[in-house]
Every structure is written in structure tokens, then in C-alpha cells.
Amino acid sequence: MLDLNGKNALVTGIANERSIAWGIAQQLHSCGANLGVTYLPDDKGRFEKKVRSLVEPLNPSIIMPCNVQDDALVTSLFDTIRDQWGKLDILIHCLAFAGKEELSGDFSTVSREGFTRALDISSYSLVQLSGAAKPLMTSGGSIVTLTYLGGVRVVPNYNVMGIAKAALEMNVRYLAAELGPLGIRVNGISSGPIRTLASSAVGGILDMIHHVEEIAPLKRTVTQTEVGNTAAFLCSDLSSGITGQIIYVDSGYCIMGM
Ligand SMILES: NC(=O)c1ccc[n+]([C@@H]2O[C@H](COP(=O)([O-])OP(=O)(O)OC[C@H]3O[C@@H](n4cnc5c(N)ncnc54)[C@H](O)[C@@H]3O)[C@@H](O)[C@H]2O)c1
């Protein structure tokens, strides 16, 4: 049994019950972690309402807004963690965004604005949040992000998000090298396709899932719980020798040539 008792874990990226971050939060909680969660603030407060009611059974001690494009919100989030928890042990980076118009059609038509926004929210944010977490991870720590095969191979319609994931995976390696001497490990989970709010913006997501069901050794795609279990492992002492890695949780799809 994984033991995360006494660990403070910040989970970003919960939008609803389909979110991979929700699967991760549940598994961290079941292993004993003390949770803090964030939601994306919007004018009508829809995400806040949804996230607050969803996470209630997990009894998080911090629930705060986080828009990674708003530096003041990020500063306030980590100030609160410092004041309330004193130290942070686990950071789950489980967020990404690209405009729907960027997730279908020809990649070469992506606008500078769309490219920059996707890279800023989906890739730079890992550096930003890890930099803010670093001074709070005084007893070492574990940082986990979520990536996808479209960052190493061409997947139809994934387009600019593939570039963002490629950059994200390199961020994992540079951060792991910098933070390793402090006992902070940084890893990524490359998840197979799962139907979520974010993935539904990718053109042909259902075709991608059906393709995995046909080709992958396990003949199915993965669940949020399976990704959550791997995240819990990567956050626990059982993975103490692993850093800078991308772990595939994809029913074995990535090993297949045909
Ligand atoms: N669903 C899949 O098939 C799949 C596969 C591999 C990797 N992933 C990755 O998993 C992660 C979680 O996505 P998901 O599929 O669970 O979808 P999701 O829509 O449930 O989660 C995406 C989250 O990103 C948050 N977000 C977007 N813009 C933000 C911003 N500016 N600041 C802060 N938060 C912001 C949203 O609020 C949402 O909570 C993403 O990095 C995604 O690329 C998903």
C-alpha cells in the first residue's frame, strides 16, 4: 500500500468528474495525502461551484483559484500554501489549453497568438508552478505532469498541443536536473486518450480512442483511476529512484508498430 500520510499535495486541473486531475486527487487522498486543489476562475464561477462540490468528500484544506496566465493568482496560491502548510511535498500539474480552432485542420495555419497561448498555458506553466513550489519543498518532493504521445509522434489534429507537450517533456528533464540535488523529483505521465473536457476539443478524439481499443495490447484505453494510481506511485517513496522520466499509462499502445 502506498503511504502518503503527512504529505501535502497540491492538485491543479480539476474541472469536473471526468478530469484526470480528479482521478489523481482521489488516489492521493486514498493514500492519506492532505489535499489542496485549484480551479480555473471564470466570470460566472462555474468551475468553482463544480469543483467545490466535487472535492468536498476529499476534505481539501485549501481550495483556491488558479489561472496560470495570472501571476498574481499564482503568487497568492503559493503564499497561502506557505502560510497554511509551511511546506509542500507534491505538485500535480494537470492542465493544458489550446483553442478549438488550433486542434483540427492544417497545423501550418496556427496563429502566433494561438501557438503562444498553447505553449504558455500547457508548457511554461510547469516551469512557473515548479519554480513557485521549489522554496516550499523543504523536505524534497515530487512533481508530476500529464503529457500525451502526440508530443513525440504526429497524431492527427493534435497539432500545436503536440508542440506544447514536446516542450513540456523537455521541461520535465531540465527541472529534474535542477531540482534533483534538493531531493525534488520531476516526472511526466503520458496517458492514453480519455474523454474529458479538454480532449473533446481535439478533432476526432473518439476515433483516437477506438484506434487504441483496436491496436493497444490491453485492447482498451485507460481510466482516470489508472493514471491516478501511477501518479500516487510517482509521489510516494516507492519511486524514490525515478526522476526526469515520462511513464506511459496507455494500455501499451506506444509499443506497437502496426
Ligand atoms: N484526456 C486525454 O486524453 C489526455 C491524454 C493525455 C494527457 N492529457 C493531459 O491531461 C491534462 C488534464 O486534462 P484532462 O484531459 O483531464 O482535461 P480537463 O479539461 O478535465 O482538464 C484540463 C484542466 O486545465 C485547466 N486549465 C485550462 N486553462 C488553464 C489556465 N489558464 N490556468 C489554470 N488551469 C487551466 C482547466 O480548468 C481544466 O481543469 C492535460 O495536460 C492534458 O493535456 C489528457
Side-chain angles (χ1 to χ4, degrees):
M1 178 66 183
L2 297 175
D3 183 9
L4 298 177
N5 278 293
K7 306 268 189 202
N8 295 319
L10 178 66
V11 179
T12 65
I14 301 177
N16 57 36
E17 58 285 343
R18 286 179 184 257
S19 295
I20 293 175
W22 172 234
I24 295 174
Q26 289 174 291
Q27 298 317 305
L28 296 185
H29 171 76
S30 73
C31 295
N34 171 40
L35 292 186
V37 302
T38 67
Y39 59 87
L40 182 64
D42 65 287
D43 290 345
K44 295 186 177 145
R46 281 168 307 161
F47 282 123
E48 176 175 9
K49 202 164 166 237
K50 179 82 203 166
V51 171
R52 280 189 184 277
S53 67
L54 188 64
V55 301
E56 205 182 330
L58 308 189
N59 205 19
S61 49
I62 293 174
I63 306 179
M64 284 190 69
C66 176
N67 179 342
V68 293
Q69 293 196 294
D70 183 335
D71 289 339
L73 276 184
V74 173
T75 301
S76 161
L77 169 65
F78 283 89
D79 283 352
T80 303
I81 291 172
R82 186 197 55 221
D83 296 345
Q84 282 196 31
W85 289 350
K87 73 173 176 94
L88 179 65
D89 303 290
I90 292 166
L91 169 64
I92 305 294
H93 174 273
C94 194
L95 58 96
F97 182 83
K100 207 169 164 61
E101 62 282 10
E102 263 88 54
L103 296 170
S104 63
D106 290 338
F107 169 57
S108 64
T109 61
V110 66
S111 65
R112 175 172 290 143
E113 191 198 346
F115 187 100
T116 308
R117 184 176 52 181
L119 272 283
D120 182 28
I121 297 177
S122 314
S123 179
Y124 172 70
S125 62
L126 176 67
V127 184
Q128 173 192 27
L129 298 185
S130 299
K134 179 179 172 181
L136 300 181
M137 290 188 156
T138 46
S139 314
S142 177
I143 298 173
V144 175
T145 187
L146 266 293
T147 185
Y148 175 60
L149 184 65
V152 290
R153 294 199 211 143
V154 175
V155 172
N157 298 320
Y158 204 58
N159 296 358
V160 70
M161 192 54 82
I163 314 308
K165 292 303 190 192
L168 180 75
E169 293 186 14
M170 208 59 216
N171 289 342
V172 166
R173 299 181 190 104
Y174 274 92
L175 287 168
E178 174 186 330
L179 302 178
L182 302 175
I184 303 171
R185 298 181 294 109
V186 188
N187 293 290
I189 297 174
S190 186
S191 168
I194 299 177
R195 274 191 82 180
T196 62
L197 197 59
S199 71
S200 63
V202 182
I205 178 70
L206 286 181
D207 293 339
M208 284 160 73
I209 290 174
H210 291 148
H211 184 65
V212 168
E213 288 166 350
E214 196 183 325
I215 303 292
L218 298 182
K219 300 296 175 202
R220 61 174 178 82
T221 191
V222 293
T223 65
Q224 290 85 342
T225 302
E226 289 175 310
V227 176
N229 283 334
T230 302
F233 164 70
L234 287 173
C235 293
S236 79
D237 292 343
L238 293 186
S239 61
S240 56
I242 301 175
T243 194
Q245 303 302 312
I246 304 299
I247 313 282
Y248 281 76
V249 180
D250 69 343
S251 302
Y253 175 81
C254 70
I255 67 166
M256 300 303 288
M258 274 185 74

